[in-house]
Amino acid sequence: MSLQRRFKKPAVATLSQPEPDGRLNLIGFERVRRYLDVSRSTLLRYIYSRKLNAIKLDGGWKFHWSDIDRFIQRRMQRAA
């Protein structure tokens, strides 16, 4: 079985979405990396160049869903 069939991109619904009371869940580095389908070094470059907002928490990078969504929207606008 090919790697592409075994490791599919997660659907948007599998990522943390805002809670009904308005709180935002944080998403971990590896989950965002797989969702964006980029390498570890590319995601770190996005963070350090401030193209993607992230929070260093408990020794790892965490992201808000709204920041990921905004990042994707900006990338799509540039491609158009």
Side-chain angles (χ1 to χ4, degrees), residues 17-64:
Q17 295 290 329
E19 296 290 329
D21 63 0
R23 291 180 299 142
L24 294 176
N25 293 328
L26 296 176
I27 306 162
F29 182 90
E30 189 60 29
R31 199 165 194 182
V32 172
R33 188 193 69 75
R34 285 192 320 260
Y35 179 72
L36 295 176
D37 195 24
V38 296
S39 68
R40 181 179 184 278
S41 60
T42 298
L43 185 53
L44 287 171
R45 189 174 66 238
Y46 290 155
I47 294 169
Y48 290 122
S49 65
R50 297 186 180 202
K51 292 180 180 177
L52 181 60
N53 292 331
I55 302 165
K56 189 81 175 222
L57 186 66
D58 294 332
W61 291 103
K62 307 292 183 194
F63 305 83
H64 286 282

